[in-house]
Amino acid sequence: MQATTTEMFEAMNAVMPITSRPALAFVRGRGSWLWDHEDRVYLDFVQGWAVNALGHCPALIARALNDQANTLINCSPAYHNLQAVLYARELAKASGMDHVFLANSGAEANEGAIKLARRWGARHRDGAYEIITFEDAFHGRTLATMSASGKREFAALFEPKVPGFRKARLNDLASVEALINSRTAAVMLEPIQGEAGVVAASDAFLRDLRALTTRHGVLLMVDEIQTGMGCTGRLFACEHAGVRPDVMTLGKGLGGGVPLAALLATREASCFEPGDQGGTFNGNPLMAAVGLAVLEHINDAAFLANVRAQSVYLRARLERLSAQHGLGPVRGRGLLLALELNRDCGAELVTAAREHGLLINAPRPHLLRFMPSLTVSRAEIDDAMTRLEAALGEVTGSI
Ligand SMILES: *Cc1c(COP(=O)(O)O)cnc(C)c1O
């Protein structure tokens, strides 16, 4: 549908105001590039919030959507459909999990994981229902996943919260062990806390957590919604630590841009009974077909090696920029990287960078996060650095 710019700005009044957004609307995208309503072009290092693993509008996804839309879009979750069963098999094989429940958002997948832990506690641990999560964690925006999150901004919101979540400190095993009791059903964490500012659980901590949860007979649930699907340079971030969780959740890059998420569990942890879990759109063949195409493409040694190579390059460029401008360290893994600024100018930098045609994100006031497409090129990384440097000059020059 075509609209004049005036009409478009008027139409924005119909959008429920849930966050402040710049006065523009995006119209189309291709690879690492996005075009707005005035046909201005932006280099996109946000990519739908680490969602467009293969960039904007990859032919592979357009083809999968088109083929499947002409074959079967939905047939009710009361029946199996071919795409969903093939996809579940491939996802289980790739992750080392046994069972897959397809969902429509990360929060929904985590909500399912929380229910699964409670079901498991009821069945195997005498009614245990508590889940140990972590300070600064982010697990979604439903009531239960907000309660599971450790984001300080969430603490006072929508009281009363869902009970049963206790917060430990990341990379502090003793803080976890101190919270384990007979009511504990599971420990749940992100291998890298993305929204907290790309703060990683160390490989040693993940391994210790695996041993601890096994010793106490509670589930280890890993939220790989942001870290999964190749963005750390392996298909799943917990592979770096050699850890196999009992429950894993996936989202964001899973569908390469379409709404698709998943809850995965080992046979031992998978204990839903008929009626416990479901959903109208869950496992629809349209999204499953896309997921299958994206998984086949990303779960490839050469693809993942390229993510690692581009990561080395982006990290080196960011480190050089940091040295030149007196900024802080670079952290993260693969193409999920953050740059510490050593001052609270993240929001100004995001705005200035956008004016220079670069989209980036500041999850914290003192920090920039980079989430380019996993197919980003060196030339695009160079281009992003030039734009960021111009923005930095403006912002830090004015402080
Ligand atoms: C984005 C995210 C979620 C929530 O996913 P939605 O699709 O936005 O509901 C949960 N956990 C982590 C780690 C995330 O990054």
Side-chain angles (χ1 to χ4, degrees), residues 117-138:
R118 288 188 174 195
R119 166 56 87 189
W120 185 88
R123 169 132 15 127
H124 298 295
R125 221 171 126 78
D126 200 23
Y129 63 90
E130 282 184 0
I131 299 175
I132 298 171
T133 59
F134 289 82
E135 291 175 5
D136 299 315
F138 179 76

Side-chain angles (χ1 to χ4, degrees), residues 25-68:
F26 287 113
V27 176
R28 63 197 168 91
R30 180 71 54 191
S32 290
W33 301 89
L34 261 180
W35 284 263
D36 74 6
H37 64 285
E38 291 187 321
D39 223 28
R40 277 182 302 233
V41 66
Y42 302 78
L43 182 49
D44 188 4
F45 273 41
V46 173
Q47 286 290 359
W49 233 257
V51 166
N52 303 320
L54 306 177
H56 290 283
C57 299
L60 165 116
I61 292 185
R63 202 178 322 119
L65 274 173
N66 192 51
D67 290 351
Q68 192 59 38

Side-chain angles (χ1 to χ4, degrees), residues 200-272:
S202 72
D203 292 347
F205 180 69
L206 279 173
R207 284 192 286 269
D208 289 348
L209 213 48
R210 175 67 284 182
L212 184 75
T213 48
T214 302
R215 191 160 76 245
H216 285 275
V218 303
L219 299 176
L220 178 63
M221 312 205 294
V222 175
D223 176 348
E224 290 245 24
I225 288 166
Q226 185 155 145
T227 53
M229 296 314 287
C231 88
T232 70
R234 305 234 170 255
L235 192 59
F236 305 111
C238 48
E239 290 174 28
H240 293 282
V243 161
R244 180 180 183 248
D246 303 298
V247 175
M248 184 192 276
T249 52
L250 299 171
K252 295 215 161 81
L254 192 61
V258 303
L260 182 63
L263 162 65
L264 293 81
T266 62
R267 198 173 311 285
E268 297 71 35
S270 175
C271 59
F272 278 140

